[in-house]
Amino acid sequence: MKKILITRKLIKDSEDKATKIFEAKLNSNDELYSRAKVIEMSQGCEAVLTSLTDKMDEEMINKLPNTIKVISNFAVGFGNIDLEAAKKKGIAVTNTPEVLSDATAEIGILLILGACRRVSEGIQSAKESNWKWSADYLIGKQLTGTRLGILGMGRIGQKIAAIAKSLGMIIHYHNRSKLSVEKEQGAIYHDSLRSLFEVSDVLSICCPATKETENLINKETLEYFPTGAVITNVARGDIVDDVALIDALNKKKIFAAGLDVYKGEPNLNPGYLKIKSVFILPHLGSATKHTRIAMANLAIDNIYEFFKTGNCKNKVN
Ligand code: NAP
């Protein structure tokens, strides 16, 4: 039986599956292992099942024992892993696409609704029982007829587009490459960021965090948006320059923001907490039991497939 290290606690069904197939080292207390501890625990193992809390940078990868052949990430995003460093060391990196797209799209829509309809302020007022209904009380932005820009219309972006369309939104998107007509579902393609942002009354960020997308939302690009636009991010915090977005919110250039992900999680920029129109969640994208089991099972299957066939369909490096 192959020995593997699973760095974080998984839902029991998935841990049971892992221990049937592998000699798996589990993290029953869900301790946040230090870098040194991950290196120590991976001695004698042939694969590591990592989570987004594990920063597998070049230094870390180079310190892994030479027996490690696979890093199986318990996420579709892999911005926490240096793919090139892994490749150089002969380590395959895999991810868990598709199985989390529905759950994450639901949170993407929640961010749009939460930010547009001033849900943070509404919850606060309702809890304090200090509100009085009036014709202009907590007026928000209606989704029907509003233009939604999707930055990164991939698996999750396309699902958000389908739901948003059913709510009456008009969908625009930007990817580096145009989708087929079938995948576009009537959405309007923009070949540049600027062109997309200029028509985005609401933006949903759904692209991966890469060197290319880091701080794509910044002081300059925020100027492209119509005044009073709403920015939502269900992808990764690294895509947004927080200082620039907080400044645009304070100046009312941007009406509201809906955020599930942050730079330096779990410590989000405190500037966001001072702005009433910001709707925040603690990285809940894939957080349903069904999805977390499916993700963990896929992460385990990826390791199994790699050792059985020498390759894996979800290999990303
Ligand atoms: P995906 O299917 O690979 O879609 C990514 C999309 O982004 C593609 O359409 C891609 O199109 C586009 N893209 C990539 N680089 C771009 C760039 N430089 N400029 C513009 N567009 C770019 O990925 P997915 O499964 O939808 O997941 C998307 C991201 O969501 C993940 O990377 C992950 O970070 C995040 N996520 C977050 C949560 C959460 O809990 N909040 C959960 C799951 C996933 P082109 O290649 O044509 O550019």
Side-chain angles (χ1 to χ4, degrees):
M1 251 185 184
K2 302 271 184 201
K3 270 193 192 168
I4 69 164
L5 168 66
I6 302 180
T7 63
R8 298 293 305 271
K9 187 175 169 59
L10 305 176
I11 289 174
K12 192 175 174 304
D13 303 37
S14 306
E15 291 194 338
D16 289 348
K17 176 180 167 100
T19 49
K20 266 191 204 128
I21 309 176
F22 302 112
E23 194 178 316
K25 292 188 194 173
L26 305 177
N27 180 353
S28 314
N29 297 324
D30 204 22
E31 186 190 330
L32 260 186
Y33 291 155
S34 65
R35 292 161 72 82
K37 180 103 183 194
V38 172
I39 306 288
E40 181 199 318
M41 298 281 294
S42 57
Q43 299 302 319
C45 292
E46 291 176 69
V48 192
L49 195 155
T50 52
S51 292
L52 52 87
T53 50
D54 298 300
K55 297 281 166 262
M56 305 301 281
D57 55 19
E58 188 175 13
E59 186 196 348
M60 185 73 183
I61 285 171
N62 287 338
K63 284 184 180 163
L64 285 174
N66 291 334
T67 48
I68 297 289
K69 297 295 169 219
V70 187
I71 297 174
S72 173
N73 211 33
F74 177 53
V76 66
F78 38 80
N80 57 316
I81 303 174
D82 185 328
L83 298 186
E84 276 311 304
K87 197 171 183 177
K88 260 195 228 154
K89 206 175 147 86
I91 300 176
V93 178
T94 63
N95 71 342
T96 61
E98 207 65 65
V99 292
L100 43 51
S101 300
D102 286 317
T104 308
E106 287 174 6
I107 291 292
I109 292 291
L110 180 60
L111 295 177
I112 294 170
L113 282 165
C116 287
R117 300 302 302 270
R118 304 178 65 177
V119 166
S120 292
E121 291 165 85
I123 290 174
Q124 189 66 22
S125 298
K127 280 186 176 167
E128 291 170 1
S129 300
N130 67 352
W131 52 278
K132 189 170 113 226
W133 186 92
S134 68
D136 60 357
Y137 176 64
L138 277 187
I139 293 295
K141 194 187 257 299
Q142 182 156 338
L143 303 193
T144 328
T146 294
R147 296 169 299 181
L148 172 66
I150 297 191
L151 173 57
M153 181 112 137
R155 291 170 290 242
I156 295 167
Q158 286 167 40
K159 289 197 182 271
I160 290 177
I163 304 169
K165 205 173 150 191
S166 76
L167 294 170
M169 299 190 87
I170 300 147
I171 317 298
H172 295 251
Y173 77 98
H174 169 64
N175 277 352
R176 290 163 303 177
S177 31
K178 192 176 181 302
L179 295 173
S180 63
V181 172
E182 189 194 332
K183 285 188 171 168
E184 272 182 345
Q185 314 161 77
I188 301 149
Y189 179 65
H190 295 258
D191 63 5
S192 75
L193 267 189
R194 181 174 189 146
S195 161
L196 177 74
F197 291 177
E198 283 175 350
V199 299
S200 295
D201 300 315
V202 179
L203 182 77
S204 176
I205 304 171
C206 303
C207 63
T210 60
K211 284 195 184 96
E212 218 183 311
T213 63
E214 190 175 354
N215 291 330
L216 263 188
I217 304 297
N218 57 45
K219 194 171 186 305
E220 187 191 335
T221 57
L222 280 162
E223 283 305 315
Y224 302 156
F225 285 89
T227 295
V230 168
I231 309 269
T232 68
N233 187 6
V234 75
R236 283 292 182 265
D238 288 333
I239 300 160
V240 176
D241 174 342
D242 294 322
V243 174
L245 178 55
I246 289 166
D247 186 51
L249 284 157
N250 281 325
K251 289 183 174 148
K252 312 268 188 260
K253 164 73 185 175
I254 299 299
F255 171 71
L259 308 171
D260 186 43
V261 285
Y262 311 89
K263 274 200 176 83
E265 289 175 15
N267 303 310
L268 60 155
N269 188 312
Y272 287 124
L273 305 178
K274 296 184 191 141
I275 305 171
K276 287 182 178 170
S277 65
V278 175
F279 177 74
I280 51 170
L281 296 174
H283 203 145
L284 293 184
S286 62
T288 69
K289 188 174 179 190
H290 172 87
T291 293
R292 287 284 161 83
I293 290 174
M295 286 166 69
N297 288 354
L298 183 53
I300 294 161
D301 288 341
N302 285 341
I303 300 174
Y304 180 78
E305 183 186 339
F306 182 83
F307 284 126
K308 193 166 179 218
T309 68
N311 208 340
C312 175
K313 66 177 181 308
N314 295 321
K315 183 168 170 284
V316 291
N317 69 336

